[in-house]
Amino acid sequence: MSDYKAIATPTRTKDILDKYGFSFKKSLGQNFLIDVNILRNIIQHANISEEINAIEIGPGIGALTEQLAIAAHKVAAFEIDGRLLPILSDTLSAYDNVRIINEDILKADISNLWNDYFQDDRPVKIVANLPYYITTPILMHLLMLNLPITSITVMMQKEVAERMAAAENTKEYGSLSIAIQYYTEASVKMTVPTTVFIPQPRVESAVLHLEKRQQPPVKVHDENFFFDLVQASFQQRRKTLRNNLSRHFKDILTKEQIETGFQAANIDGTRRGESLNMDEFALLVNYFYAQINQ
Ligand code: SAM
């Protein structure tokens, strides 16, 4: 490609936006990346190569899509904003390995891509600069769908990325950390200043990498009950587990049953939720579950 000029530069982006008279929709989280080095870093952290097929969420004017098209085998990108379609067919016209799908990622039948588009055994990875107004719903949705993907690497709000990757006994650790880490191994790869976006978001950003687990790290009898107990344990962060859980389970477990659960799991009820690792939560939830279902 002799005339290759990356989309992700301030001048090229401005030219494209001017050419189409495009106005940003804040409500769709439209903050476009204008630094090609950041994009290459994301692609490196995602470990994208010719042997990988990629799914992108929200291609915008194609800044990341272009770098994925160069690095990956095939790219499928879901974009909700129909105004971007003519722009994308222009900016990505040099690439024949990209499919743009004009759909809401939360409503699209993503699994269809495996029958309809990828059609080979290459691993599939998700890479995106996410719309920040729905970062957590998108990630939880993608994980709950249990798609045959191997990893998710995304730009998102730094604060939320840190909560997702947090370990116990930190102030960032909470039910979101457990939910994400139940399905993946999570790590923050880099932090990113607001200056590499147009328009600049109000918050700092980070790249979060989620490597999908083959199996959850703990075995629980009932996943819903597990997540429910974890959430309840963090209801009031400064209160003890005994306090949070007695209140939450007051209609289904007696105080004695709760104490028996703590004793059987060998977990001190005066501890706070933030001090329990996932193994301990699983142990506790399985004893509580046994109390209810005996
Ligand atoms: N990938 C581009 C970049 O890095 O410059 C744009 C990223 S921008 C942060 C987020 C993109 O997601 C926007 O193009 C926005 O229109 C799109 N978007 C917002 N909500 C969406 C949804 N529910 N489904 C699919 N795309 C969405």
Side-chain angles (χ1 to χ4, degrees), residues 7-8 13 22 25 27-34 39 42 56-65 77-84 88 101-107 127-134 138 155 196-198:
I7 297 167
T13 299
F22 184 81
K25 268 201 189 144
S27 61
L28 290 180
Q30 293 180 335
N31 301 94
F32 296 169
L33 275 163
I34 50 167
L39 290 169
I42 297 174
E56 187 190 359
I57 298 138
I61 60 168
L64 174 59
T65 328
F78 291 88
E79 174 56 64
I80 198 171
D81 187 349
R83 299 174 307 151
L84 289 163
L88 286 163
I101 302 145
N102 183 202
E103 278 182 64
D104 179 343
I105 191 67
L106 295 176
K107 297 191 182 141
V127 186
N129 170 20
L130 288 176
Y132 291 1
Y133 74 108
I134 42 167
I138 290 179
M155 179 82 82
V196 300
F197 300 88
I198 168 173

Side-chain angles (χ1 to χ4, degrees), residues 253-271:
L253 284 168
T254 63
K255 280 202 173 347
E256 291 68 41
Q257 284 178 312
I258 289 189
E259 288 315 313
T260 310
F262 281 133
Q263 273 166 19
N266 202 13
I267 287 170
D268 184 342
T270 63
R271 286 170 64 182

Side-chain angles (χ1 to χ4, degrees), residues 46-83:
N47 222 340
I48 301 296
S49 70
E50 253 298 301
E51 286 313 305
I52 301 294
N53 288 318
I55 298 176
E56 187 190 359
I57 298 138
I61 60 168
L64 174 59
T65 328
E66 174 182 55
Q67 300 305 318
L68 286 169
I70 293 168
H73 179 61
K74 279 183 176 181
V75 185
F78 291 88
E79 174 56 64
I80 198 171
D81 187 349
R83 299 174 307 151

Side-chain angles (χ1 to χ4, degrees), residues 17-281:
L17 297 175
D18 287 349
K19 179 173 172 189
Y20 289 91
F22 184 81
S23 53
F24 294 102
K25 268 201 189 144
K26 224 174 163 183
S27 61
L28 290 180
Q30 293 180 335
N31 301 94
F32 296 169
L33 275 163
I34 50 167
D35 184 329
V36 77
N37 290 320
I38 300 276
L39 290 169
R40 291 190 184 129
N41 278 329
I42 297 174
I43 288 194
Q44 238 171 15
H45 287 305
N47 222 340
I48 301 296
S49 70
E50 253 298 301
E51 286 313 305
I52 301 294
N53 288 318
I55 298 176
E56 187 190 359
I57 298 138
I61 60 168
L64 174 59
T65 328
E66 174 182 55
Q67 300 305 318
L68 286 169
I70 293 168
H73 179 61
K74 279 183 176 181
V75 185
F78 291 88
E79 174 56 64
I80 198 171
D81 187 349
R83 299 174 307 151
L84 289 163
L85 265 65
I87 307 185
L88 286 163
S89 66
D90 177 6
T91 57
L92 299 174
S93 61
Y95 307 96
D96 60 6
N97 59 341
V98 177
R99 175 185 284 190
I100 305 290
I101 302 145
N102 183 202
E103 278 182 64
D104 179 343
I105 191 67
L106 295 176
K107 297 191 182 141
D109 179 3
I110 309 170
S111 62
N112 201 32
L113 285 174
W114 277 263
N115 311 320
D116 187 42
Y117 182 55
F118 293 139
Q119 290 168 331
D120 60 36
D121 289 337
R122 287 179 170 80
V124 178
K125 300 188 173 197
I126 297 183
V127 186
N129 170 20
L130 288 176
Y132 291 1
Y133 74 108
I134 42 167
T135 305
T136 303
I138 290 179
L139 290 177
M140 289 314 297
H141 179 69
L142 294 172
L143 294 173
M144 307 296 278
L145 282 178
N146 204 14
L147 299 165
I149 53 165
T150 58
S151 67
I152 303 179
T153 309
V154 285
M155 179 82 82
M156 57 191 290
Q157 307 93 309
K158 176 167 169 259
E159 186 235 318
V160 184
E162 285 172 346
R163 278 168 41 210
M164 289 183 173
E168 66 271 19
N169 289 316
T170 62
K171 69 175 190 329
E172 292 80 15
Y173 184 64
S175 51
L176 186 61
S177 326
I178 305 263
I180 293 286
Q181 293 170 38
Y182 184 75
Y183 298 103
T184 71
E185 284 181 72
S187 53
V188 175
K189 293 298 186 187
M190 60 183 196
T191 57
V192 180
T194 57
T195 48
V196 300
F197 300 88
I198 168 173
Q200 294 185 11
R202 274 181 294 124
V203 292
E204 271 188 290
S205 300
V207 174
L208 179 74
H209 179 76
L210 303 175
E211 195 69 34
K212 188 125 172 275
R213 296 182 191 275
Q214 299 288 331
Q215 302 275 344
V218 292
K219 210 167 162 39
V220 294
H221 296 304
D222 180 327
E223 286 184 352
N224 289 333
F225 186 58
F226 171 63
F227 290 122
D228 195 35
L229 178 137
V230 169
Q231 202 146 34
S233 304
F234 289 98
Q235 201 69 47
Q236 291 190 276
R237 283 187 80 94
R238 297 159 62 83
K239 295 238 158 115
T240 63
L241 274 177
R242 177 178 290 123
N243 204 306
N244 275 327
L245 296 181
S246 315
R247 180 189 310 211
H248 184 76
F249 290 116
K250 65 178 181 331
D251 296 333
I252 47 172
L253 284 168
T254 63
K255 280 202 173 347
E256 291 68 41
Q257 284 178 312
I258 289 189
E259 288 315 313
T260 310
F262 281 133
Q263 273 166 19
N266 202 13
I267 287 170
D268 184 342
T270 63
R271 286 170 64 182
R272 289 184 181 154
E274 67 186 32
S275 76
L276 266 67
N277 62 29
M278 191 152 5
D279 289 330
E280 292 177 305
F281 272 122

